[in-house]
Amino acid sequence: MKINFKNVLFLIIFSLLFNCARKGRPEGGPKDENAPILVTAVPPYETTHFNQDNIRIYFDEYITLKDLNKQLVVSPPMKTTPLITPQGSPSKYINIKILDTLLQNTTYIFNFGNAVQDNNEGNKIESFKYVFSTGDYIDSLFLRGSVKDVLFKKTPKNTSILLYKADSVYHDSIVYKQKPNYVTSTLDTTNFTFSNLKKGNYFVIALQEESKDYLYNPKSDKIGFLKNSISLPNDSVLVDKLMLFKEVQPYKFKKGKETSKGKIVFGFTGERKNFK
């Protein structure tokens, strides 16, 4: 019998490929429930005498930044917002480009909140922070507290808490014109925490604001404050003392506007008055 070696070779190869294909797909392992881990940072975390304009933070896996504009709080606040990259794409690092002149002898905090999460499962690093100091040491004092709405039981989320130094520069109108010395946020809770504060006396103000500029706009923002200053490190905890309220605006009559033929509408701002 004559054997066709080409056909035999073809059958052998086909059999091998078919058997390999029948081995099945690999089964998935346990679900990853671990948050990303910081591997290193350049300059290192809690660097003193910081004089750089660029920071790079490396993780052990690919991460993404979710709701960064809402979550990120830089304290003390900077005049020019730092450039954070990459956004919108997975990466094993976060790059921070500082575009502002830093204050001397000051501890800075980049608090990312819960924005840093792994790319696959969305596991978040809770309250992830990067800290450095332009001085000789890292400030270590803290302040904790909570906020409430004076009228509504609804949780006042995403409230900014501001600290102003109680010195000769402070005045009642400073909240309209000048950014605070320190800032933090309640994010999705009613509680707030300041860390890495310097020893001193401070006025505490809460702002529930439409624009995150840390300046009080009485037409749109709610405000709360303590009447007296607090002293650190003596006053380290505040409990249920910051009550948010909406300031009543002075009455102001506006010019009428014709909305249709024979119909004129007059508007006003502030507290409504009775008309006869």
Side-chain angles (χ1 to χ4, degrees), residues 119-135:
N119 182 52
N120 293 324
E121 302 294 342
N123 298 315
K124 301 174 182 177
I125 308 181
E126 301 288 339
S127 302
F128 177 71
K129 296 189 297 184
Y130 177 82
V131 180
F132 65 84
S133 173
T134 57

Side-chain angles (χ1 to χ4, degrees), residues 224-235:
F225 55 87
L226 296 181
K227 293 182 178 180
N228 300 317
S229 64
I230 55 110
S231 177
L232 295 179
N234 298 332
D235 302 319

Side-chain angles (χ1 to χ4, degrees), residues 205-242:
I205 294 174
L207 278 187
Q208 194 173 52
E209 50 185 347
E210 289 188 355
S211 60
K212 197 176 177 181
D213 58 3
Y214 309 128
L215 298 175
Y216 177 45
N217 182 350
K219 292 183 179 180
S220 59
D221 300 343
K222 288 186 177 182
I223 191 170
F225 55 87
L226 296 181
K227 293 182 178 180
N228 300 317
S229 64
I230 55 110
S231 177
L232 295 179
N234 298 332
D235 302 319
S236 60
V237 178
L238 298 174
V239 180
D240 298 337
K241 289 186 177 181
L242 285 174

Side-chain angles (χ1 to χ4, degrees), residues 36-55:
I37 298 174
L38 185 151
V39 176
T40 187
V42 182
Y45 180 79
E46 292 193 341
T47 288
T48 56
H49 301 288
F50 183 95
N51 60 358
Q52 306 295 313
D53 63 0
N54 199 82
I55 302 163

Side-chain angles (χ1 to χ4, degrees), residues 26-172:
E27 296 295 330
K31 181 180 179 181
D32 179 13
E33 297 181 352
N34 297 320
I37 298 174
L38 185 151
V39 176
T40 187
V42 182
Y45 180 79
E46 292 193 341
T47 288
T48 56
H49 301 288
F50 183 95
N51 60 358
Q52 306 295 313
D53 63 0
N54 199 82
I55 302 163
R56 183 160 288 196
I57 306 168
Y58 295 91
F59 298 90
D60 67 334
E61 59 180 312
Y62 282 96
I63 58 97
T64 56
L65 298 175
K66 184 177 181 180
D67 297 329
L68 183 65
N69 292 335
K70 172 185 172 183
Q71 297 280 329
L72 178 66
V73 177
V74 181
S75 183
M78 299 180 179
K79 293 180 180 179
T80 305
T81 304
L83 180 62
I84 312 279
T85 55
Q87 295 186 41
S89 59
S91 174
K92 278 197 170 184
Y93 66 85
I94 297 173
N95 199 83
I96 304 172
K97 182 68 175 179
I98 298 174
L99 306 175
D100 204 356
T101 300
L102 300 177
L103 301 172
Q104 295 182 352
N105 301 315
T106 301
T107 299
Y108 280 87
I109 303 172
F110 282 78
N111 191 336
F112 287 82
N114 301 328
V116 182
Q117 60 182 37
D118 70 49
N119 182 52
N120 293 324
E121 302 294 342
N123 298 315
K124 301 174 182 177
I125 308 181
E126 301 288 339
S127 302
F128 177 71
K129 296 189 297 184
Y130 177 82
V131 180
F132 65 84
S133 173
T134 57
D136 297 332
Y137 55 87
I138 301 290
D139 293 315
S140 58
L141 298 179
F142 69 93
L143 180 68
R144 295 192 181 111
S146 61
V147 296
K148 286 185 176 180
D149 195 296
V150 71
L151 294 178
F152 302 102
K153 292 183 179 181
K154 186 178 179 181
T155 302
K157 297 180 180 180
N158 298 315
T159 304
S160 298
I161 314 299
L162 321 177
L163 291 186
Y164 289 90
K165 289 182 180 179
D167 54 21
S168 58
V169 178
Y170 182 85
H171 49 84
D172 290 342

Side-chain angles (χ1 to χ4, degrees), residues 111 115 173 196 215 273 275:
N111 191 336
S173 61
N196 303 100
L215 298 175
K273 294 187 176 182
F275 297 98

